Amino acid sequence: MPFKFLENVSLADVAFEASGKNVEYLFSAAGEAVVATQIKNYKSLKPKVRKRLKLKAESIEQLLFKFLDELVFLKDKDLLLFNKFSGMKIRQGEGRRKGKGGEFSLVCTAIGEKLDTKRHISLVDVKAVTMHLFEVKQAAGRWKAKVVLDV
């Protein structure tokens, strides 16, 4: 499993750690973890809806935060849940000034369906992604992220 839930991190929130062999796998795993927090049978989501996501941020941490936040927003706005992320591409642009790392961008197609209360077993409602303990790091050839969700 590309993610695991963390115990005893916060009493009123849900925490998880996601990992991947590259940054794209990490983002996909973190996206899966967000939907797995909300419905028990998240793997049963059908590929009925495809939503193109294009995001930009100043750092890889901010980009992951925006990506997860967008998934929560789409769930709240349109009742959409996604469990697959196709064509995930994350790039770092050149710095605007000498010494700057440049802007990060993400492009992917989120695949899933609208929440169906007759088929999907609800767990909790994710209200927001938090910055509490939020981190993204690369170590030993793998990418890891720690995320706390407000439920």
Side-chain angles (χ1 to χ4, degrees):
M1 184 177 278
F3 63 88
K4 66 180 179 182
F5 291 103
L6 304 173
E7 301 294 324
N8 302 319
V9 172
S10 177
L11 294 176
D13 298 326
V14 173
F16 67 86
E17 184 177 87
S19 65
K21 64 182 180 181
N22 60 39
V23 71
E24 288 84 5
Y25 279 96
L26 169 69
F27 275 56
S28 292
E32 280 185 56
V34 169
V35 74
T37 301
Q38 298 175 90
I39 61 169
K40 186 174 185 177
N41 52 341
Y42 78 96
K43 289 186 179 184
S44 72
L45 287 172
K46 296 181 177 166
K48 292 182 176 180
V49 176
R50 294 176 180 271
K51 180 83 172 164
R52 187 85 166 153
L53 303 179
K54 292 174 82 174
L55 302 167
K56 291 184 179 182
E58 292 296 317
S59 70
I60 198 71
E61 291 85 3
Q62 290 174 359
L63 188 62
L64 179 60
F65 186 91
K66 278 187 169 185
F67 172 65
L68 300 178
D69 193 51
E70 183 71 7
L71 297 179
V72 173
F73 171 76
L74 291 169
K75 181 264 305 171
D76 288 342
K77 179 180 171 269
D78 300 323
L79 296 177
L80 294 175
L81 298 173
F82 301 103
N83 65 346
K84 291 186 177 43
F85 305 95
S86 169
M88 176 80 70
K89 288 190 178 25
I90 297 172
R91 301 285 183 255
Q92 182 178 11
E94 293 185 28
R96 295 185 202 127
R97 297 184 305 225
K98 191 173 183 174
K100 288 284 184 181
E103 187 173 66
F104 288 83
S105 64
L106 171 146
V107 175
C108 76
T109 301
I111 303 167
E113 68 176 300
K114 201 165 195 168
L115 176 65
D116 180 348
T117 56
K118 293 177 184 168
R119 287 190 316 107
H120 303 128
I121 301 166
S122 293
L123 297 172
V124 295
D125 183 36
V126 174
K127 297 177 198 168
V129 182
T130 74
M131 289 305 296
H132 180 63
L133 302 175
F134 193 91
E135 69 177 358
V136 177
K137 61 184 175 182
Q138 185 180 21
R142 291 191 60 82
W143 283 86
K144 289 188 176 185
K146 189 182 291 182
V147 178
V148 177
L149 303 171
D150 180 23
V151 296

